[in-house]
Amino acid sequence: MSAPARRDLRARRAARTPWRFLIVQAAVLLLVVAVGAIAAWPIYRGPAFVVLVIVATIAATAIAAAGLRWRQNGWWVALVTIGAYLVLGLPLAAPGSLGSVPQALQGLRGVVTAPVTGWKDLLTLELPLGSYQATLAPALLVFLAATVLALSIAWRGGRWWPLAVIAALIPTVFGIAFGSTAPMPAPALGPLTLSREALVGMAALVAALVAIVWRTTADRRRAIATATAATGVRSGSRPLRGLAGRAATAAGMVAIGLVGATFVAPWALAGSPREVLRADVDPRLELAAELSPLGQYRTWFGDDRFDQPMFRVAAPDGVDRVRLATLPFYDGRVARVVDPTAASGDARSSFTRVPSALPANAGSVTGSARIAVEGWDGVWMPTVGSVTSIDFDGADAATLADGFYYNAETSAGVQLAEPRLRTGAEYRQGAAYPEAVPALGSLEPARSAPTLGEDIVPESLVRWVDEHANGSGGAGLEQLVELLRARGFLSHALTIDAAAPPSWTADLGDYAFQPSRAGHSTDRIDQLFTDLLAREDEVGGDDDAALVAAVGDDEQFAVAAMMIADRLGFDARIVVGMRLESADDTLSTCDDGVCTAGDISAWLEVRGAGPEWVPVDVTPQHAVFPSPDTQQRQDPKIPTDVRQEQAEAVQPADANPSDGGRSPGDDTATSQDLSALWTTLRIGGISLLVLLLLFGPFALIVLVKLARRRGRRASADPVERFTGGWQEFVDAAVDHGLPGPGSRTRHELVTAYGGSAGAAELATLADRSVFDVAPPDQDDADRFWRIVESERSRLDDGLGFWARLRARVSLRSLVRRERRVARAQRLPRDRRDR
């Protein structure tokens, strides 16, 4: 063998891609992906995530290697990746759904819809997610697709290989974008304090630089080896000075980034939350449209519900209350669970879905409670202590888990699934509760000024507090609340039937009914304290039995106590719920864990300078009746006679939500139930969106080619119709896997394509349209395009369905650059025209 032949053989061998290059290229890119796994770890924090990342990267490497080995195009690799996602999705992304066939079907549905709806779950659920339902599906999609894309681009070479590094950084972007809004601390390095995000960012930067430097170095060595094999001339060694300069530059970039992350970033971002996608998503629910649970308080004392069991509770020792709703907002009309005017991100108004578990507060005791629903059907969900986990039982377990939202700041949960909690529903709740609740008298005020405005707090309450305040801090608040309870009187109604008194009066024993108006607006609270002050001015002294004058129930007294606590500098909120046990035998409790409607109550929770919330009972006494003088000042039971001829009919006003009523527009009994239609439309819309995401790109390619063909055929210029038809023929051949025209003439290209008679005639007619003196007529153009359609059909002869479909959606003809060729072919005719 001659020397030139040996050099050519060495050149061809050097041009091949050695397996060592492929392995090292995969290793450096997988290093970048591994940094992305570290970045996404805080989102899940579970062993299922580790297994998912390992299996996804192995599967992605195998798919990319198979596509390279059998020289498959990008569409084949994409379809195989989608298939791998669907096959691996159930065991990796929804491992908790493998217990039964119905759960597996629901888990598979979650995996299929995750590319569309799964991102919302990542933004609305509290972190960490663990393996909750199908929340791992977005991570599987990201790590599988990003790794396949990165390896495919890098292994197939070409000038686009830097995109492989960008693709490998997608998992890191995923972990940062969907992470927590609060920066996570990292171990301190001596005097240096770094955040975890800074360390992850630096690691991603270093890993990306390693991948880029290695690839550029490897390409340079391969190019030198190819040139050496082809020419036999060896180049000199690389100057160490240039290599040292480049290494110093890279080290300087890393050092600058490290200094910035260590010193500048913590100083510049001190006290600022991380700006991530979660910070821009407000999962606030439509709870503002619900009537206030305090406004509905008296509806539970009707004879049709009073003795009806609502739910059964088995709570750990140390838990003495069941919470239904927490109301931290009051606007002078109604106490609310959420504030419609609150800014996005207000912790007191933000309800989020609960994934696998929530952390318990420091210093709290953990336990487990079980709650079985009987007659309860409201949106407010019974919970005990602070929720750390929740597991629903029964066939509707997945639906109820999707509809459960929790506010960790107020320790309250809601159930928004349809249907909501109903008879037979059961769930186990992990609870965290304080080992010892501090005494109210030991609390110190959190601030020196109230937060409720003067237009909300009535002047009568301010005067009463000023006249009876005896001490400060928690002791003063405790004394005022006890004084208010002692001088109040319990009543749940404005009127009763004396012949058939309601059940709640009989439950109170020796009880004499006193009427009281519902509602807890500022006007109603003003009436409460106006009665107290009037009785004190009339009787005098400090005998509580003689000064009983404020008639109402927990609805009014809870709001009054909240105003008092706020005026003394305490954070206060109202809680609606039930007591499991109480040291005060005058208060209603759930017997043996069975909570009836008549056991419902409202109390106050107060927080001072510390983090603990202390419950404060506000229910007024019912043993000492108001004095006769006070009774005389009540509204007369016999109304004044009205002359009918002078009477005018007055339509009743809309019910005030703060008075516990509903407006006529709130009557939903006769409204049409459109829930089934909405469910059908939602499922249909999601299914259609999934189909569009899967098949939309292919349909778009077909439509673009169809529009291109119609534009070429309908061109106003006769020459353009011929040259456009020839380009359509060449594009169809290229899409079927034939080579591009390159520098070949039309007849040479026809020979390369098989030399059919129709193709040869196309080449002749196309050349005549460009070079002939006489322009072609319309009949020739129509005949030309008929031949084009015939040749396009001939290219499909002998091909299977998938091969023909692959040609239809091929991108080769769309990315082929032929403008320069077309202009060169039209140039002689243009010159002739001039």
Side-chain angles (χ1 to χ4, degrees), residues 82 129 131 181 196 201 243 303 422 446 509 540 549 603 643 674 723 780:
I82 294 174
L129 302 177
S131 57
T181 57
R196 183 186 177 278
L243 180 61
D303 285 348
R422 55 184 179 181
W603 60 85
R643 297 180 181 180
L674 299 178
T723 56
D780 291 338

Side-chain angles (χ1 to χ4, degrees), residues 535-801:
R535 184 60 181 169
E536 293 171 3
D537 293 340
E538 182 179 338
V539 177
D542 56 0
D543 184 5
D544 293 338
L547 297 176
V548 174
V551 183
D553 55 15
D554 294 4
E555 180 185 358
Q556 294 82 38
F557 280 77
V559 175
M562 181 183 67
M563 291 181 177
I564 295 173
D566 178 77
R567 185 160 185 83
L568 296 182
F570 291 94
D571 295 332
R573 61 192 187 189
I574 299 170
V575 179
V576 177
M578 301 178 183
R579 302 180 188 87
L580 298 177
E581 57 185 32
S582 176
D584 188 348
D585 56 5
T586 65
L587 300 177
S588 176
T589 58
C590 301
D591 295 335
D592 298 327
V594 180
C595 298
T596 64
D599 293 326
I600 195 166
S601 181
W603 60 85
L604 193 68
E605 282 188 344
V606 176
R607 181 174 64 182
E612 301 88 359
W613 287 95
V614 179
V616 181
D617 290 315
V618 297
T619 306
Q621 58 84 31
H622 59 270
V624 180
F625 309 127
S627 67
D629 293 338
T630 304
Q631 293 183 18
Q632 292 175 4
R633 290 189 288 107
Q634 302 294 335
D635 296 334
K637 297 182 180 179
I638 302 177
T640 305
D641 292 336
V642 179
R643 297 180 181 180
Q644 296 297 326
E645 62 272 14
Q646 297 180 359
E648 295 180 0
V650 178
Q651 296 296 330
D654 292 345
N656 189 338
S658 65
D659 292 337
R662 287 181 178 266
S663 62
D666 294 332
D667 187 10
T668 59
T670 60
S671 62
Q672 187 176 5
D673 185 10
L674 299 178
S675 59
L677 176 61
W678 169 244
T679 302
T680 303
L681 292 176
R682 182 178 58 182
I683 295 175
I686 293 176
S687 303
L688 180 61
L689 186 57
V690 171
L691 291 177
L692 288 177
L693 289 177
L694 292 178
F695 302 105
F698 304 102
L700 180 61
I701 294 173
V702 175
L703 291 176
V704 169
K705 290 183 179 181
L706 179 61
R708 182 183 63 181
R709 183 162 60 251
R710 289 185 176 180
R712 288 170 173 175
R713 189 166 188 171
S715 176
D717 186 1
V719 177
E720 289 288 344
R721 286 198 296 272
F722 278 88
T723 56
W726 173 258
Q727 291 173 0
E728 187 67 27
F729 165 70
V730 174
D731 288 340
V734 170
D735 287 337
H736 282 77
L738 297 176
S743 60
R744 288 186 285 260
T745 65
R746 290 189 176 95
H747 286 279
E748 291 174 346
L749 191 61
V750 167
T751 303
Y753 287 171
S756 66
E761 188 175 1
L762 285 180
T764 301
L765 292 175
D767 287 341
R768 286 176 54 190
S769 69
V770 176
F771 298 103
D772 199 353
V773 176
D777 56 19
Q778 182 64 35
D779 295 337
D780 291 338
D782 293 340
R783 186 166 63 89
F784 185 88
W785 271 96
R786 285 194 297 270
I787 298 174
V788 170
E789 296 298 335
S790 176
E791 287 300 309
R792 291 181 69 252
S793 300
R794 185 184 63 82
L795 293 172
D796 288 334
D797 292 343
L799 299 180
F801 171 78

Side-chain angles (χ1 to χ4, degrees), residues 442-495:
S442 65
L443 299 183
E444 294 296 330
R447 57 183 182 276
S448 59
T451 59
L452 297 177
E454 296 180 357
D455 57 329
I456 295 178
V457 180
E459 181 61 30
S460 58
L461 182 145
V462 176
R463 176 188 164 191
W464 189 86
V465 171
D466 293 341
E467 291 180 359
H468 296 86
N470 184 13
S472 61
L477 175 61
E478 184 176 21
Q479 179 264 331
L480 289 174
V481 172
E482 291 301 325
L483 185 64
L484 178 63
R485 295 180 62 195
R487 297 184 181 182
F489 187 77
L490 182 62
S491 175
H492 295 305
L494 180 61
T495 60

Side-chain angles (χ1 to χ4, degrees), residues 241-459:
R241 183 175 58 185
L243 180 61
R246 279 182 279 270
T249 301
M253 293 174 60
V254 174
I256 292 173
L258 183 61
V259 170
T262 305
F263 298 102
V264 180
W267 172 79
L269 302 177
S272 300
R274 289 182 62 217
E275 290 297 333
V276 296
L277 294 178
R278 179 179 299 271
D280 295 332
V281 174
D282 183 10
R284 186 178 310 172
L285 311 176
E286 295 298 329
L287 294 178
E290 293 286 338
L291 291 180
S292 169
L294 192 63
Q296 295 178 292
Y297 180 76
R298 292 196 176 185
T299 62
W300 299 101
F301 293 92
D303 285 348
D304 58 334
R305 310 181 70 178
F306 184 76
D307 294 323
Q308 181 184 5
M310 295 289 101
F311 43 81
R312 298 175 181 268
V313 181
D317 296 337
V319 176
D320 59 352
R321 298 171 191 262
V322 179
R323 185 188 306 267
L324 293 175
T326 305
L327 299 89
F329 302 103
Y330 181 71
D331 58 5
R333 295 181 59 253
V334 62
R336 301 180 183 273
V337 175
V338 297
D339 183 7
T341 64
S344 177
D346 188 340
R348 297 178 299 171
S349 293
S350 297
F351 283 78
T352 57
R353 295 170 60 193
V354 177
S356 55
L358 294 176
N361 295 329
S364 60
V365 180
T366 58
S368 178
R370 187 172 187 86
I371 300 175
V373 178
E374 295 191 9
W376 183 258
D377 60 354
V379 66
W380 321 109
M381 187 163 165
T383 59
V384 298
S386 298
V387 174
T388 57
S389 64
I390 194 159
D391 296 305
F392 292 90
D393 297 335
D396 296 333
T399 302
L400 293 176
D402 285 338
F404 176 65
Y405 288 77
Y406 183 69
N407 187 320
E409 176 67 20
T410 61
S411 301
V414 294
Q415 179 56 249
L416 299 182
E418 293 292 345
R420 296 174 182 173
L421 290 178
R422 55 184 179 181
T423 302
E426 294 188 23
Y427 54 93
R428 297 181 303 277
Q429 181 215 320
Y433 51 94
E435 185 175 4
V437 179
L440 177 60
S442 65
L443 299 183
E444 294 296 330
R447 57 183 182 276
S448 59
T451 59
L452 297 177
E454 296 180 357
D455 57 329
I456 295 178
V457 180
E459 181 61 30

Side-chain angles (χ1 to χ4, degrees), residues 231-254:
T231 63
V233 178
R234 295 183 177 273
S235 62
S237 59
R238 186 175 182 177
L240 295 178
R241 183 175 58 185
L243 180 61
R246 279 182 279 270
T249 301
M253 293 174 60
V254 174

